[in-house]
Amino acid sequence: MSENDKHPEKDSESGGFSVLDVVRVIGGILFFNALLSYYFTSSTTWGYESRWKDVGYLKFKFMNGATHLTFTEDELALYNGTDPSLPIYIGIYGKVYDVSNSRSTYGPGGSYAFFSGKDGARAFVTGCFNKEDEFTHDLRGLDIEEAMSDISGWQRFYGNHLRYWYVGEVIHTKIIGEPPEYCEGMKFPGT
Ligand SMILES: *[C@@H]1O[C@H](CO)[C@@H](O)[C@H](O)[C@H]1NC(C)=O
């Protein structure tokens, strides 16, 4: 071996790939993958839809991992959309979901703003939205089997929705006093 062969510059030129090369190659592959996908499917991800593309979801998972959050009713109330720096949460019979992706619907002035920051399980069942005391987890007086079936349906809807996700639980205070008066509203379609 001559001295020349050990020259550091020469080594780095012939010595395999640098990190930058690897990044370039991977970047190129990803770019052409996206380009091809866009050509065939008009989507850069071959039509694959996932929450993992959602910045808000990634942030939530990054901060909490597999841990779910627990709220008191007062804590949940902070997430009613009034503070633009906080996500918007809705509660359905103890389960809490992030609906921040539909801020125009669930935020202040939105058509479903009444669900935000609270557990409105009863209103989900009755469809009665113009009575404030309907936004409670108190199901007394309702057909409980029907109510629970509606509620699991809504929990599945929000839990499986690509733009919403399960956040954790709200711990309720004990129900006291009389149940809300019977109210029959509309059955409403999901958003
Ligand atoms: C949202 O919650 C905050 C704090 O609890 C409260 O001040 C505000 O009035 C609530 N906004 C709505 C639209 O309910």
Side-chain angles (χ1 to χ4, degrees), residues 40 92 116 122 133 182:
F40 287 112
I92 309 174
S116 303
R122 189 186 184 91
D133 64 353
Y182 181 75

Side-chain angles (χ1 to χ4, degrees), residues 99-156:
V99 294
S100 313
N101 275 326
S102 298
R103 200 166 269 275
S104 60
T105 305
Y106 293 92
S111 47
Y112 290 156
F114 35 64
F115 283 123
S116 303
K118 57 179 92 108
D119 188 334
R122 189 186 184 91
F124 271 102
V125 174
T126 62
C128 210
F129 306 140
N130 46 13
K131 259 171 86 239
E132 213 176 306
D133 64 353
E134 226 28 40
F135 294 89
T136 171
H137 64 289
D138 183 355
L139 303 180
R140 289 177 300 165
L142 304 181
D143 178 328
I144 198 66
E145 223 167 282
E146 210 177 290
M148 288 316 296
S149 146
D150 283 358
I151 282 169
S152 4
W154 284 112
Q155 288 174 337
R156 271 198 305 277

Side-chain angles (χ1 to χ4, degrees), residues 74 77-78 80-82 108:
D74 285 348
L78 296 175
N80 64 3
T82 298

Side-chain angles (χ1 to χ4, degrees), residues 20-112:
L20 192 59
D21 290 331
V22 174
V23 169
R24 279 201 193 107
V25 169
I26 292 175
I29 291 171
L30 290 178
F31 177 74
F32 280 109
N33 174 59
L35 208 66
L36 267 185
S37 162
Y38 193 76
Y39 180 77
F40 287 112
T41 66
S42 300
S43 127
T44 54
T45 49
W46 298 102
Y48 176 68
E49 287 300 327
S50 160
R51 285 195 195 115
W52 294 104
K53 295 197 298 187
D54 190 308
V55 175
Y57 184 67
L58 287 175
K59 198 172 146 199
F60 174 76
K61 282 294 168 190
F62 180 75
M63 310 253 285
N64 302 293
T67 314
H68 290 121
L69 308 180
T70 306
F71 304 87
T72 63
E73 290 174 355
D74 285 348
E75 284 164 352
L76 185 60
L78 296 175
Y79 299 88
N80 64 3
T82 298
D83 182 343
S85 70
L86 291 178
I88 303 180
Y89 294 156
I90 61 166
I92 309 174
Y93 211 59
K95 301 209 157 139
V96 177
Y97 301 90
D98 187 316
V99 294
S100 313
N101 275 326
S102 298
R103 200 166 269 275
S104 60
T105 305
Y106 293 92
S111 47
Y112 290 156

